[in-house]
Amino acid sequence: MFDRKDGKVYTFEELCESSASLIFQRHSEMRDAGKEIGKLLSSSNRVLKVSKASPSWKAYVDYVSDIVIEGFASAIIASARYLLQQLDAEVFAKPEAGPLLEVDLELVIPDMVWKPELSGSTKGTLQGMVQKWLMSFLEVGGLMKRLDTGEGSYAKELEEDYDVGEQLDKVLSITLATIKNCEEFKGQFMKYDYLWKQDLNQTLQLRVFKDFLEAEGTKAADGSREDPPLAKFEQQIQKYKAVGQQVASLPGNAVVSFIKISAKPLRTGLTTWASKWVYLFTHYLQDKVVNSISELYSFMDSADATLARKVLGEGGEEQHEGQPATEEATDEAVAADNKKAQEEQYRRALYDMLSCMRDVRKRSDRTDAMFDPLKETSALLHAFGIQLGDNVLKQLENAEFKWKGLKKKMLNRREQLAALQQAEAVEIRRKSDAFAERVEDYRKFFLRRAPFSVPNGELKHEVVRPAYQILDAFHHGSVDSYPSVTTIVAESKQLQELQELFELYVSDYLMLQRCNEELLYLKSLWDMVGAVMYTFADWCKTPWDKIDVDVLIEESKKLSKDVKTLNKAVRNYEVYRLLEESLKAMITSLPLVQDLHHPAMRDRHWKMLMQTTGKHFTMDEKFCLGDLLALGLHNYVDACSEIVDRAQKELNIEKQIKKIEDTWFALALLFSPLADSDIMCLQIEDAVTEALENDNLQLQNMSGQKYVQLNPMFLDAVANWQKKLGTVDSVLATWGDVQKKWQALESIFVGSADIRVQLPEDSKRFDVVNADYQDLMRNACDVTNVVEACNMEGRQERLENMLSQLEQCEKALQDYLETKRIAFPRFYFVAPADLLDILSKGSNPQLILRHLSKCFDNVHNLSFKKDDSGEPTKVATGMCSGEGEYVEFATDCLCEGPVETWLQSVVDSMKAAIQAEFKRAIPMYDELPRTSWIFKYSAQNTVVVSRTFFTQEVNEAFDELEEGNEEAMKIEYDRQVNQLSGLIELINGELTKLDRKKLITLCTIDVHARDVVQRLIDERVENAACFQWQSQMRYVVSEKTKLCQVNISDAEIAYNYEYIGNCGCLCITPLTDRCYITLTQAQRLVLGGAPAGPAGTGKTETVKDLARHVGCQCYVFNCSDQMDYKAMGQIYKGLAQTGAWGCFDEFNRIPVAVLSVCSTQYKTVLDALRSRKERFMFEEIEVGLKPSVMAFITMNPGYPGRAELPESLKALFRPVSMVVPDLGLICEIMLMAEGFQMSKILSRKFVILYKLCEDLLSKSKHYDWKLRAIKTTLYVAGGMKRAAPELTEDKVLLRALRDFNLGKLTSDDTSIFIGLLNDLFPKTLELVPRAVEKEFEAKVKEA
């Protein structure tokens, strides 16, 4: 589809026409062939008689279509390849080949252009032509219809064909590369674009040539610029001649790939431009020589003629000698006129001669110096081939001689005219003196009559026109018979010329110059005055509601800026001062106008403004800016500002009061019915409380403001709202207290018959209040607006009376509850609501069972005997712990009578049951195998008895050591190891949850016992009195009481037999031992304990664990800044009477004022203990005292919000410093308790992993790698070990660590954690599958 005659070089038009013709021909042939293929295919179908819908026919049609597409693609590729051969630069490099296309590069001012253009996709460009060829290649796909559908074409398939696209891209790439190379060829001409970029004449006058003359020229004495040196001209001429030679050397033709470039026209044009620049400089020099000579000869000819004229004194002789008069004058008057005219003519000749002599003198030096440069310029022009005319050269040769002759003639003539010149000079002096007197008089008149000031000293627009009239008269008219300044200045200039001509002193007439200057200054000043005054006059007509002050201020500032641009000389004029004052007054007044335009301005404020200014005006639709400015606001700036400020503040006050009114108009009380009742309950929204606080504060601030105090209307409104909101505040507070107390007391006095019997008077009092309150709440719904409801007449007094009555009922109830607490001190630790529930249902033990856990450490239920009908009686036979452990009472416990009485019986039965079981278990320890004996008794007694026998065995070992058996302690150690192994075997076996927990507790104790014996052996302890043994908790049976006793160091603590159930125990480490010693010594010294240390060090848990070890109940209190001395007093009363321990967590969060009282309260308890009293006075009440009572306080030192304990309080508690526990040892003990034999190795891996996780993983808030997380993971590991006994212990721990922690890790940390597990458990991770609960997984998938 593309063809080229051999070696032919086409023009653009020829190539376009040739290719278009060929493509049209080829397309026609393909279109006809496509129709023929369609006919043949239809004929084949008719012959074969196959359905066009059959798969075989469709496959055949597709096969033929593929052939057609392939044929089209081959045609396109062949055409593109042939075109590539014609465009390939390597082909044109061969001698026999020639370029395909010829283009011209021409200069078309102001650019160089291609003909045709090369780049661009538009028609008429080389790139557009090639793209058109390529598109015509692709258009062959649309020359025939598709064979399969009969519609459409194969254009899409050809466009998506890779080979076709590749060939077409190559053609386009070569074209673009060739265009780029052509542009590079064009670039070598572009560096000369300065030759034609600017118009030559303009350059000469305005740009390059002018810059050259100014930069290279010098300044003459008279201020004119002289031409640059001749060498500079020569340099420029040579420069442009060299440029012309360079351009001529550039190639005129070039072949770039398939393009032949013809640049001869461009080269010729550039050479012409270079010649023009040469001509520019040479023509200037030529004109300079010709014009200089011509001007000189013209001057010399004129001077010769002037010097040859006759003057006064020479004319008569000439007339006498030359031509005698033919007739005499017949009339004397005519003769006189002729003589006078002749004298004037001769005088004028004299003046002309003197002027000529002056001109010769002035140009003498300049002319003397011009001859040599002109000759050099002529020589330079001759060197560059430019010839001057013969006449010019001749004049140049004779000019210097003729000039010297002229100067000589001028000197001779001067001597001849000396006498006449002197006589005329005398007359000129006389005229000068007379004119000087006129000038002085004129100056005085000018200062008096010129408009330097205004009448009455007030600048208005009416004075502008008269001032202009005076200025015009002074400029080109007359004022009071005096001539204009212009006229008299002209006279002075004529006189100055005569003075200069006769070589006299030239007067400068400064006064006249000042008049002229001041006339100009006054004109500019009054122009500005007129602009300002007329502008202000126009502004003053602006209606009040259409004033745009911002625009006016901006315009005023512009006017002020324009005034300051006037000549500094006018600043001494009074008019200027008045103009400045007017502008300043306007600039000062406009902000006040803007302020007075504020919507806050009321009639009272306008009246205040009238009083201030002393002027009256009416604010109506005719009121305009001029009326306001007439008040002279700039004289009352402070007063106006104060009035506006007052208006704005009062508007703000109005808005605030209106906002308060709107707020409280919208606020309403909410009422909702109580559960299972028709009595309404008041609900106070947060919006009401917030509005009450904010508005009360706002009203308080407003009441103190000056403008409220000065305005009775505002003062009354603020006082009224303060009173209303004060009533709202007090009523809502009282109403809320009444409702709260009524709700608390209603169920007690109405629902509890026991209370009504015990408190009859108070019950009657409550019935009255109850009826009144219900009536109030029924009617309250009628008026819900907060202000109206709270300010109803008598409502506040009614509510206050109710509150007073309810407080009396509450006081009586508290006194009643106090009697019950004293009767059963454990009630001190029961919430009042629960206590009232217990008291009201005390006759039915079954209803009290749910409250047992609040009165006992771990008694959650009681078992009762049943009557014949199977119903439980009131006889309790045993107790159950929260874990489900059951302990039978030694004797039946009758739960009948007052609840405080039979609950005390339960306490006594509990302790008797534990004591009796302890006595039974002691003899059975030796009779039964330990592995069987363990399951016979409660967990509490199992541990106590086991520890009692451990103490006995170690003491016996010490006795044997003293008798000489050195292996005694080692034998004891072996016994402990064997016992521990037996426990671990049991733990790994099939057990109930309760038994397993008991064994884990016992295992923890036994591990500590083993470690104690090991330490005794390691430290070679040989005596039972040594501190290493005495510092341990040693359980013994007291010889005096025959009851269990705990000894530690020199402290002897009676076991209290509080039932603690099967709750487990802490791991006992050396740190725990030291803490136990310190706390028990504090009890021996009758002091409290004060463990202090960071969070997570086990302060509270250690205290609780120690209480369980000595069988004592321990209450934990979370302290806060809300605790007061009354609550602390109640706690101390309960502890003293029950003998329990109290642990106050975060004790230093209690306020210091409360802590000071606490120290006195606790000191009272300790003093009673030291005195060994059974009863003592506490806060004016006598209470019982049990010696086991003790208080502990835990603190986190250095935490925010913590108070420093008073010294008086510190002295009552023995400090214990808690540090971070030994995690490795704790892990080892817990692993062993969970049945792990490899506990030591696995604990090290565990602790190392958690330490690395804490250091390496991100600091996410939900991560926890401390003791609590370790304990939880170890419990999980124990459960997994029992669930998968086939796995080794390291695999079990690995599974626990992985499965328990992966779920909480972020995606970034997961890979790090898995890497750590692989390092600690090498080649094991892949062998341990995830623990799966199939049933749970199934439910998850189902959900």
Side-chain angles (χ1 to χ4, degrees):
M1 286 178 281
F2 183 82
D3 193 16
R4 177 192 180 187
K5 296 181 180 179
D6 293 339
K8 181 175 180 179
V9 180
Y10 292 87
T11 64
F12 182 77
E13 292 75 10
E14 291 174 344
L15 190 57
C16 287
E17 183 179 354
S18 173
S19 59
S21 174
L22 181 62
I23 288 171
F24 178 78
Q25 178 184 347
R26 295 288 188 265
H27 281 191
S28 299
E29 294 172 357
M30 291 183 181
R31 191 179 294 107
D32 295 339
K35 293 179 181 179
E36 187 65 26
I37 292 173
K39 293 178 181 179
L40 292 174
L41 192 62
S42 299
S43 176
S44 299
N45 180 262
R46 287 194 299 272
V47 172
L48 295 174
K49 297 181 181 179
V50 179
S51 173
K52 291 184 178 181
S54 65
S56 57
W57 178 254
K58 287 183 178 179
Y60 176 68
V61 171
D62 291 341
Y63 171 72
V64 176
S65 295
D66 291 341
I67 294 174
V68 170
I69 294 170
E70 186 178 352
F72 281 146
S74 299
I76 295 172
I77 292 172
S79 300
R81 286 176 178 171
Y82 180 77
L83 182 57
L84 279 173
Q85 291 177 1
Q86 304 306 315
L87 304 181
D88 193 353
E90 295 181 359
V91 175
F92 302 121
K94 300 176 183 179
E96 65 276 7
L100 176 64
L101 177 64
E102 181 176 4
V103 298
D104 295 332
L105 183 59
E106 297 180 359
L107 180 61
V108 179
I109 304 297
D111 294 310
M112 279 192 294
V113 297
W114 297 100
K115 290 191 176 178
E117 283 293 338
L118 301 183
S119 59
S121 301
T122 58
K123 185 178 180 182
T125 64
L126 172 61
Q127 183 181 346
M129 179 179 68
V130 174
Q131 289 177 343
K132 184 178 180 182
W133 291 347
L134 301 181
M135 288 301 299
S136 64
F137 292 174
L138 282 174
E139 287 172 358
V140 299
L143 298 177
M144 66 175 292
K145 295 182 180 179
R146 299 185 65 89
L147 298 177
D148 48 1
T149 62
E151 299 293 336
S153 64
Y154 294 103
K156 185 177 180 181
E157 284 82 352
L158 294 177
E159 289 174 0
E160 295 174 353
D161 190 286
Y162 175 79
D163 294 332
V164 169
E166 182 182 24
Q167 294 300 321
L168 299 183
D169 288 342
K170 285 182 179 179
V171 172
L172 190 58
S173 298
I174 288 179
T175 303
L176 295 176
T178 303
I179 292 172
K180 182 179 178 183
N181 294 335
C182 290
E183 292 295 336
E184 291 175 358
F185 174 79
K186 176 182 176 182
Q188 60 186 329
F189 291 94
M190 285 299 297
K191 63 182 180 179
Y192 302 108
D193 61 349
Y194 61 88
L195 294 174
W196 76 84
K197 281 290 185 183
Q198 298 168 346
D199 184 74
L200 193 63
N201 294 327
Q202 289 183 357
T203 302
L204 171 62
Q205 297 171 7
L206 303 175
R207 303 282 304 266
V208 178
F209 196 72
K210 183 178 179 182
D211 294 343
F212 165 74
L213 295 179
E214 290 184 357
E216 302 297 341
T218 56
K219 192 171 183 180
D222 59 358
S224 61
R225 297 288 302 182
E226 294 185 353
D227 286 343
L230 197 59
K232 296 293 183 181
F233 278 94
E234 182 179 6
Q235 182 181 350
Q236 291 295 320
I237 293 169
Q238 290 177 346
K239 169 187 169 183
Y240 285 106
K241 278 187 170 291
V243 169
Q245 294 172 0
Q246 292 174 8
V247 171
S249 65
L250 293 175
N253 293 312
V255 176
V256 179
S257 187
F258 63 90
I259 296 177
K260 177 183 179 182
I261 301 174
S262 175
K264 288 180 180 180
L266 173 62
R267 186 175 63 182
T268 303
L270 292 179
T271 305
T272 303
W273 276 105
S275 301
K276 287 181 180 181
W277 276 97
V278 171
Y279 174 78
L280 175 67
F281 288 93
T282 57
H283 183 68
Y284 178 82
L285 293 175
Q286 185 178 1
D287 287 348
K288 178 183 176 181
V289 174
V290 173
N291 293 338
S292 298
I293 294 298
S294 299
E295 187 271 336
L296 178 60
Y297 271 85
S298 296
F299 177 77
M300 290 190 296
D301 291 343
S302 174
D304 282 337
T306 302
L307 292 175
R309 292 173 63 184
K310 301 300 181 180
V311 297
L312 187 65
E314 297 178 336
E317 295 176 1
E318 182 180 346
Q319 183 180 1
H320 178 72
E321 294 173 1
Q323 184 180 354
T326 58
E327 59 182 359
E328 295 180 357
T330 59
D331 187 81
E332 292 182 1
V334 173
D337 290 341
N338 290 336
K339 183 178 180 181
K340 187 176 181 181
Q342 189 176 22
E343 287 177 356
E344 184 63 29
Q345 181 180 1
Y346 287 142
R347 182 176 288 108
R348 174 52 54 193
L350 175 62
Y351 288 171
D352 290 343
M353 285 186 187
L354 292 176
S355 297
C356 178
M357 293 177 186
R358 180 194 61 191
D359 294 340
V360 171
R361 287 197 306 272
K362 283 185 176 180
R363 67 174 294 167
S364 177
D365 293 340
R366 179 163 57 88
T367 304
D368 290 343
M370 69 181 286
F371 298 112
D372 289 341
L374 288 177
K375 291 177 181 179
E376 292 174 359
T377 302
S378 177
L380 178 64
L381 291 172
H382 181 73
F384 285 112
I386 298 172
Q387 298 295 331
L388 297 172
D390 293 339
N391 185 38
V392 174
L393 292 174
K394 185 177 180 182
Q395 286 180 336
L396 182 59
E397 286 292 329
N398 299 329
E400 187 174 3
F401 175 77
K402 189 173 181 180
W403 169 251
K404 290 179 180 179
L406 177 63
K407 289 197 292 183
K408 185 176 181 182
K409 184 177 182 180
M410 181 266 296
L411 293 173
N412 294 333
R413 195 63 172 148
R414 182 177 182 184
E415 292 176 0
Q416 295 172 2
L417 300 176
L420 289 175
Q421 181 178 357
Q422 189 170 4
E424 190 68 22
V426 172
E427 179 63 21
I428 292 173
R429 285 195 193 97
R430 184 187 63 76
K431 291 181 179 179
S432 298
D433 295 339
F435 187 77
E437 292 177 0
R438 283 182 61 201
V439 168
E440 186 175 354
D441 180 59
Y442 191 86
R443 174 63 178 168
K444 293 177 181 178
F445 172 74
F446 182 82
L447 293 175
R448 187 173 62 255
R449 290 288 285 120
F452 290 101
S453 60
V454 294
N456 302 324
E458 187 175 359
L459 197 62
K460 297 182 178 179
H461 70 277
E462 291 86 357
V463 302
V464 176
R465 185 175 296 278
Y468 269 130
Q469 291 174 353
I470 295 173
L471 289 175
D472 289 343
F474 269 115
H475 185 262
H476 53 266
S478 62
V479 183
D480 298 344
S481 73
Y482 280 85
S484 67
V485 174
T486 306
T487 302
I488 198 167
V489 167
E491 292 180 19
S492 71
K493 288 183 179 179
Q494 291 176 2
L495 194 56
Q496 285 172 336
E497 288 180 2
L498 291 175
Q499 290 170 349
E500 182 183 9
L501 195 62
F502 285 89
E503 300 181 8
L504 300 176
Y505 173 74
V506 179
S507 300
D508 51 10
Y509 301 113
L510 289 175
M511 292 184 181
L512 198 57
Q513 291 180 20
R514 288 179 182 172
C515 289
N516 194 27
E517 291 173 356
E518 288 175 349
L519 186 63
L520 296 175
Y521 296 155
L522 284 171
K523 176 63 169 60
S524 62
L525 175 59
W526 278 100
D527 287 344
M528 184 58 65
V529 170
V532 173
M533 290 296 104
Y534 284 111
T535 300
F536 285 178
D538 186 53
W539 289 357
C540 288
K541 299 175 185 176
T542 307
W544 175 246
D545 56 348
K546 294 184 179 180
I547 297 174
D548 190 343
V549 178
D550 292 333
V551 174
L552 299 185
I553 291 176
E554 190 66 27
E555 290 297 324
S556 297
K557 290 180 179 178
K558 288 181 181 178
L559 290 173
S560 179
K561 189 175 180 181
D562 292 341
V563 168
K564 290 179 181 178
T565 60
L566 294 173
N567 194 288
K568 292 182 180 180
V570 304
R571 297 185 182 181
N572 297 322
Y573 303 164
E574 184 184 0
V575 174
Y576 181 83
R577 181 181 61 79
L578 294 174
L579 178 62
E580 274 196 327
E581 290 178 357
S582 299
L583 274 169
K584 186 176 180 181
M586 180 61 75
I587 292 174
T588 305
S589 300
L590 285 175
L592 298 177
V593 172
Q594 186 171 27
D595 293 341
L596 292 171
H597 214 276
H598 196 278
M601 293 292 291
R602 301 288 187 267
D603 290 341
R604 62 179 181 272
H605 302 125
W606 291 113
K607 291 178 181 178
M608 292 172 64
L609 183 61
M610 294 180 200
Q611 294 173 1
T612 301
T613 59
K615 298 179 182 179
H616 185 269
F617 58 87
T618 303
M619 286 293 296
D620 55 14
E621 65 277 0
K622 297 180 180 179
F623 189 75
C624 59
L625 178 61
D627 298 329
L628 194 61
L629 294 177
L631 301 177
L633 296 179
H634 59 281
N635 297 320
Y636 307 98
V637 175
D638 294 337
C640 289
S641 298
E642 185 177 353
I643 292 172
V644 173
D645 182 61
R646 177 171 185 166
Q648 292 176 354
K649 294 290 178 57
E650 290 183 354
L651 177 62
N652 189 32
I653 294 169
E654 289 178 10
K655 289 181 178 178
Q656 290 176 354
I657 294 175
K658 185 65 170 62
K659 182 181 178 183
I660 291 173
E661 292 177 353
D662 295 341
T663 299
W664 288 101
F665 180 78
L667 291 176
L669 298 174
L670 298 180
F671 296 93
S672 60
L674 285 173
D676 302 327
S677 172
D678 59 348
I679 300 174
M680 305 304 291
C681 175
L682 172 66
Q683 292 182 348
I684 303 174
E685 291 184 308
D686 292 339
V688 175
T689 306
E690 186 177 347
L692 195 59
E693 292 177 0
N694 295 339
D695 292 345
N696 269 325
L697 180 61
Q698 191 172 8
L699 288 168
Q700 184 178 357
N701 293 335
M702 288 167 60
S703 64
Q705 292 180 11
K706 178 175 68 173
Y707 298 116
V708 174
Q709 297 290 337
L710 295 176
N711 193 321
M713 178 182 68
F714 291 150
L715 190 60
D716 293 343
V718 171
N720 183 34
W721 271 106
Q722 280 185 314
K723 181 180 178 182
K724 286 182 179 179
L725 295 187
T727 304
V728 169
D729 191 13
S730 59
V731 167
L732 289 181
T734 306
W735 202 338
D737 291 341
V738 169
Q739 180 172 274
K740 189 185 301 180
K741 292 182 184 298
W742 177 84
Q743 289 176 347
L745 298 176
E746 193 265 346
S747 61
I748 298 170
F749 283 101
V750 175
S752 175
D754 182 58
I755 297 296
R756 297 185 67 84
V757 171
Q758 297 292 333
L759 303 172
E761 294 296 326
D762 295 288
S763 298
K764 292 178 182 177
R765 182 182 294 111
F766 181 80
D767 290 342
V768 174
V769 175
N770 186 32
D772 192 13
Y773 178 77
Q774 292 186 20
D775 179 64
L776 170 68
M777 298 309 292
R778 278 192 296 269
N779 296 327
C781 300
D782 297 338
V783 179
T784 58
N785 181 267
V786 177
V787 176
E788 294 179 12
C790 293
N791 284 273
M792 289 182 68
E793 185 177 357
R795 176 156 291 183
Q796 183 173 4
E797 293 77 8
R798 185 179 182 184
L799 286 168
E800 288 175 351
N801 180 56
M802 288 185 196
L803 182 62
S804 175
Q805 297 296 319
L806 288 172
E807 285 176 346
Q808 292 183 33
C809 296
E810 192 175 43
K811 176 70 168 56
L813 183 62
Q814 289 299 330
D815 293 343
Y816 170 70
L817 293 180
E818 185 67 19
T819 60
K820 298 298 182 180
R821 291 189 179 107
I822 291 175
F824 185 64
R826 297 196 183 205
F827 281 161
Y828 280 105
F829 310 110
V830 178
D834 292 331
L835 179 55
L836 288 170
D837 189 53
I838 291 172
L839 294 175
S840 63
K841 300 172 182 176
S843 59
N844 187 350
Q846 299 299 324
L847 300 178
I848 305 300
L849 295 180
R850 67 188 184 92
H851 295 293
L852 288 179
S853 60
K854 301 162 189 173
C855 302
F856 296 88
D857 190 300
N858 203 358
V859 176
H860 284 236
N861 204 350
L862 297 176
S863 63
F864 293 90
K865 286 185 177 179
K866 296 183 178 180
D867 57 14
D868 297 337
S869 62
E871 295 296 325
T873 64
K874 295 185 178 181
V875 178
T877 59
M879 56 186 173
C880 292
S881 69
E883 299 81 22
E885 184 181 60
Y886 176 76
V887 177
E888 188 174 353
F889 288 153
T891 59
D892 292 342
C893 176
L894 182 61
C895 300
E896 196 171 30
V899 65
E900 62 273 16
T901 302
W902 67 260
L903 279 176
Q904 185 60 49
S905 299
V906 172
V907 173
D908 297 338
S909 298
M910 171 192 71
K911 294 188 175 183
I914 298 299
Q915 186 176 344
E917 188 183 48
F918 174 77
K919 292 179 179 179
R920 291 197 306 273
I922 288 288
M924 298 300 295
Y925 187 82
D926 290 329
E927 295 180 7
L928 293 174
R930 190 168 187 262
T931 53
S932 301
W933 173 84
I934 290 170
F935 300 103
K936 297 292 184 180
Y937 304 100
S938 65
Q940 181 176 352
N941 271 320
T942 301
V943 172
V944 171
V945 172
S946 179
R947 298 186 77 169
T948 303
F949 276 95
F950 167 69
T951 303
Q952 178 182 337
E953 290 167 357
V954 173
N955 287 332
E956 291 174 354
F958 277 122
D959 293 341
E960 291 183 15
L961 279 175
E962 292 179 358
E963 294 173 359
N965 183 4
E966 296 181 356
E967 300 295 324
M969 195 59 69
K970 294 182 180 179
I971 294 172
E972 176 61 25
Y973 175 77
D974 293 339
R975 181 188 296 116
Q976 294 299 324
V977 172
N978 292 333
Q979 287 180 1
L980 199 56
S981 298
L983 281 179
I984 293 174
E985 289 180 6
L986 289 175
I987 290 171
N988 290 329
E990 292 290 334
L991 294 172
T992 63
K993 185 177 181 180
L994 199 62
D995 288 341
R996 187 177 305 284
K997 193 167 187 179
K998 180 199 295 186
L999 291 179
I1000 288 175
T1001 304
L1002 188 59
C1003 183
T1004 304
I1005 299 297
D1006 283 358
V1007 168
H1008 176 251
R1010 181 203 64 185
D1011 293 342
V1012 168
V1013 175
Q1014 179 66 53
R1015 192 157 55 248
L1016 293 176
I1017 295 172
D1018 294 342
E1019 297 179 8
R1020 300 182 180 278
V1021 178
E1022 298 178 352
N1023 191 337
C1026 290
F1027 180 75
Q1028 290 89 335
W1029 173 241
Q1030 291 294 318
S1031 63
Q1032 300 297 319
M1033 294 187 69
R1034 293 165 286 119
Y1035 286 72
V1036 298
V1037 177
S1038 174
E1039 295 180 358
K1040 296 180 182 179
T1041 61
K1042 303 302 180 180
L1043 299 176
C1044 182
Q1045 178 178 298
V1046 181
N1047 297 337
I1048 179 167
S1049 189
D1050 58 348
E1052 296 180 353
I1053 303 170
Y1055 194 78
N1056 278 320
Y1057 294 104
E1058 177 76 25
Y1059 180 55
I1060 61 175
N1062 190 6
C1063 57
C1065 69
L1066 294 180
C1067 296
I1068 305 174
T1069 66
L1071 174 64
T1072 314
D1073 285 336
R1074 286 193 290 275
C1075 185
Y1076 288 167
I1077 294 172
T1078 309
L1079 295 179
T1080 51
Q1081 286 299 307
Q1083 186 176 22
R1084 188 185 72 81
L1085 297 172
V1086 194
L1087 293 171
T1097 51
K1099 300 182 293 294
T1100 305
E1101 292 301 322
T1102 302
V1103 171
K1104 288 167 62 179
D1105 204 51
L1106 177 60
R1108 295 191 187 105
H1109 285 319
V1110 297
C1112 189
Q1113 188 175 15
C1114 181
Y1115 292 99
V1116 178
F1117 305 97
N1118 293 311
C1119 299
S1120 70
D1121 55 0
Q1122 303 299 316
M1123 296 185 72
D1124 58 10
Y1125 74 95
K1126 293 182 180 179
M1128 296 298 295
Q1130 291 290 92
I1131 293 172
Y1132 286 135
K1133 281 184 189 177
L1135 294 177
Q1137 294 179 77
T1138 58
W1141 288 6
C1143 181
F1144 298 90
D1145 264 356
E1146 307 288 346
F1147 191 66
N1148 50 350
R1149 290 180 62 188
I1150 300 176
V1152 177
V1154 178
L1155 292 176
S1156 299
V1157 181
C1158 290
S1159 64
T1160 304
Q1161 293 171 332
Y1162 189 52
K1163 186 175 185 301
T1164 304
V1165 177
L1166 294 181
D1167 290 345
L1169 284 173
R1170 291 190 182 99
S1171 302
R1172 300 182 183 277
K1173 294 181 179 180
E1174 293 185 357
R1175 300 186 68 80
F1176 72 106
M1177 294 299 295
F1178 187 87
E1179 294 183 346
E1180 300 179 357
I1181 298 176
E1182 187 180 41
V1183 296
L1185 177 65
K1186 291 193 176 181
S1188 61
V1189 61
M1190 192 173 181
F1192 301 86
I1193 58 175
T1194 68
M1195 295 175 290
N1196 292 330
Y1199 278 37
R1202 308 300 195 268
E1204 181 68 25
L1205 296 184
E1207 293 299 326
S1208 59
L1209 190 60
K1210 288 182 181 178
L1212 305 179
F1213 293 91
R1214 184 170 184 181
V1216 182
S1217 294
M1218 303 291 287
V1219 297
V1220 178
D1222 186 351
L1223 297 181
L1225 182 58
I1226 293 174
C1227 283
E1228 181 182 350
I1229 294 171
M1230 291 190 67
L1231 283 170
M1232 188 171 290
E1234 292 290 344
F1236 286 83
Q1237 300 284 357
M1238 301 167 58
S1239 58
K1240 186 176 288 294
I1241 297 174
L1242 295 179
S1243 66
R1244 288 184 61 192
K1245 292 187 177 184
F1246 194 110
V1247 173
I1248 289 171
L1249 175 66
Y1250 270 46
K1251 184 67 173 66
L1252 290 174
C1253 286
E1254 186 176 5
D1255 294 339
L1256 299 180
L1257 301 189
S1258 62
K1259 307 302 178 184
S1260 296
K1261 291 183 178 180
H1262 67 281
Y1263 285 1
D1264 183 13
W1265 309 105
K1266 302 292 184 181
L1267 182 59
R1268 290 184 178 91
I1270 290 175
K1271 290 178 65 176
T1272 306
T1273 308
L1274 290 173
Y1275 288 141
V1276 172
M1280 287 185 173
K1281 177 174 174 57
R1282 292 183 289 276
E1286 72 278 0
L1287 292 178
T1288 59
E1289 292 183 351
D1290 60 337
K1291 292 181 180 179
V1292 171
L1293 183 63
L1294 172 62
R1295 172 184 280 181
L1297 290 171
R1298 181 192 61 194
D1299 295 357
F1300 187 71
N1301 288 303
L1302 274 183
K1304 66 182 180 183
L1305 297 179
T1306 63
S1307 57
D1308 294 335
D1309 291 338
T1310 300
S1311 58
I1312 302 175
F1313 183 76
I1314 293 298
L1316 293 176
L1317 286 179
N1318 276 320
D1319 293 340
L1320 289 170
F1321 301 92
K1323 300 180 180 179
T1324 309
L1325 192 62
E1326 300 81 6
L1327 304 177
V1328 183
R1330 184 172 68 89
V1332 178
E1333 294 184 24
K1334 296 182 179 179
E1335 184 178 353
F1336 178 71
E1337 293 276 342
K1339 292 294 183 182
V1340 169
K1341 292 179 180 178
E1342 181 181 342

